[in-house]
Amino acid sequence: MSTTLSAYLAKIATNPKLAVAASIVADVAAASAELAHVLRTAPIAGLSGTAGTTNVQGEAQKPLDIEANRIFIERCRANPAIAWAVSEEEDHPIRLAAGGTHGLLFDPLDGSSNLDVNVTVGSIFSIIPATAEADLLQPGSAQLAAGFVAYGPATSLVLTFGETVELFVLSGPQFELVEAEIRIPEDMPEFSINTSRERFWNAGTRRYIGDCLAGELGPLGQRYNMRWVGSMVAEVLRILGRGGIFLYPSDSETAKRGGRLRLLYEANPMSLIVSTAGGGATTGQLDLLAVPPTDIHQRISVVLGSRRQVDEYVGYVAG
Ligand code: FDP
């Protein structure tokens, strides 16, 4: 018999430390189910192209970025436990319930440059204990739950409360459990990096990818395959299913901003998921989950995937 997300969350909620986080996950899942429908019909509804506005990151917003953000925030407002919402699309944290105890940090629509070509996009979220605004700046190890939704051929929800990682798929109005206790396979020689940035890479990244490309004739002794969807949710979903390594390291062009990907609502939730599934997540130097944030929109170097490959990469960066 299948397990619904609601039944799964009801079980999680019997742990008093996670009961509130479970209720927030239910709201995120409802927002995602609504967004999945909006995405499927967006070209018919005229929600394509760009909106003519930019977000705090200076990136062009699309009508769907704005709509996804609206859907998420509307759901957040309905939950009295959410004191703060942080969104990629909002310059500042949004103050929600006065008596709230938790923060929800999210990227409502990640990989949105893929929208025009009908390739997988996603939502990424992180739930932390937070009453005061300053509580939003906690390292990833403080997360109570994290997850992402990939809107692809199926709408997949990957979820962790820090003990195990589960995969749910949207079926009609509800998510159903498809795979429990996911472990990242170790033996997939597959890397994922935007190689058009090679001239900006640091020496360690250059040597590591060079050795991947050398295949069975190089020091890594294996023939590597490459994948780059340009949508982090799709890359992480693939790694959870078959292993490999994903890299968006800080490079000479992005270094002044800290990197490309956002720490609080991209790197941290993905790192909790990957680490809980037995993988590794690093900046190259530091465990990603240990990085103390200084800004809600902080960017960071991200390398994650199968433990052995991530450890290998760290060795290359260390020289
Ligand atoms: P996007 O800007 O389209 O939202 O979050 C940033 C992100 O997508 C990731 O999903 C993706 O992995 C990366 O940027 C794609 O970067 P490139 O533009 O360098 O391909």
Side-chain angles (χ1 to χ4, degrees):
M1 209 182 69
S2 65
T3 304
T4 63
L5 177 66
S6 314
Y8 177 84
L9 293 176
K11 230 185 224 170
I12 295 284
T14 58
N15 176 347
K17 285 195 195 124
L18 296 177
V20 171
S23 83
I24 298 173
V25 169
D27 288 323
V28 170
S32 304
E34 185 179 341
L35 180 54
H37 177 74
V38 171
L39 290 170
R40 268 202 308 276
T41 53
I44 300 167
L47 285 170
S48 303
T50 54
T53 50
T54 52
N55 63 17
V56 65
Q57 336 273 339
E59 297 162 341
Q61 284 179 312
K62 303 198 162 191
L64 283 168
D65 286 318
I66 296 168
E67 180 60 3
N69 191 45
R70 187 196 65 73
I71 291 171
F72 267 70
I73 290 171
E74 199 175 287
R75 289 282 174 177
C76 288
R77 286 193 196 286
N79 190 324
I82 306 179
W84 296 94
V86 168
S87 166
E88 185 194 5
E89 302 302 332
E90 300 280 343
D91 296 10
H92 305 290
I94 303 171
R95 179 71 171 130
L96 294 173
T101 49
H102 286 57
L104 174 66
L105 305 93
F106 56 89
D107 179 353
L109 197 51
D110 186 62
S112 58
S113 46
N114 277 327
L115 282 169
D116 295 338
V117 286
N118 200 18
V119 168
T120 299
V121 291
S123 304
I124 312 174
F125 65 93
S126 163
I127 299 170
I128 56 171
T131 46
E133 185 172 349
D135 298 337
L136 295 170
L137 298 180
Q138 298 181 61
S141 54
Q143 292 172 102
L144 297 168
F148 68 86
V149 177
Y151 310 98
T155 297
S156 309
L157 165 67
V158 173
L159 179 62
T160 186
F161 287 87
E163 293 282 328
T164 56
V165 176
E166 270 71 46
L167 169 68
F168 299 82
V169 166
L170 188 63
S171 167
Q174 64 187 358
F175 284 92
E176 286 186 22
L177 183 65
V178 168
E179 199 180 337
E181 302 188 13
I182 294 175
R183 304 298 294 172
I184 297 178
E186 273 300 337
D187 291 325
M188 177 56 114
E190 196 161 72
F191 69 88
S192 187
I193 190 167
N194 184 344
T195 51
S196 71
R197 305 193 60 77
E198 182 182 357
R199 67 192 186 282
F200 304 120
W201 291 347
N202 58 43
T205 303
R206 199 181 292 270
R207 279 193 308 116
Y208 176 69
I209 297 298
D211 286 351
C212 290
L213 293 172
E216 65 273 39
L217 303 177
L220 296 174
Q222 276 181 299
R223 182 175 291 210
Y224 271 74
N225 189 24
M226 195 201 89
R227 285 286 180 272
W228 185 251
V229 183
S231 186
M232 193 188 192
V233 292
E235 323 279 8
V236 176
L237 193 56
R238 185 186 61 247
I239 284 171
L240 289 168
R242 65 184 196 211
I245 184 168
F246 167 87
L247 310 97
Y248 216 125
S250 170
D251 58 37
S252 62
E253 192 181 51
T254 61
K256 47 189 171 304
R257 294 183 293 162
R260 164 79 151 90
L261 302 179
R262 276 48 66 108
L263 174 59
L264 292 187
Y265 41 81
E266 292 181 325
N268 276 349
M270 291 309 201
S271 298
L272 187 65
I273 290 165
V274 167
S275 305
T276 306
T282 177
T283 63
Q285 280 89 18
L286 301 170
D287 178 349
L288 266 166
L289 291 173
V291 175
T294 52
D295 182 88
I296 58 164
H297 294 298
Q298 184 174 344
R299 294 177 189 252
I300 191 105
S301 180
V302 176
V303 176
L304 47 80
S306 300
R307 164 71 58 189
R308 185 180 53 74
Q309 288 170 60
V310 171
D311 288 348
E312 245 160 26
Y313 173 79
V314 169
Y316 275 76
V317 171

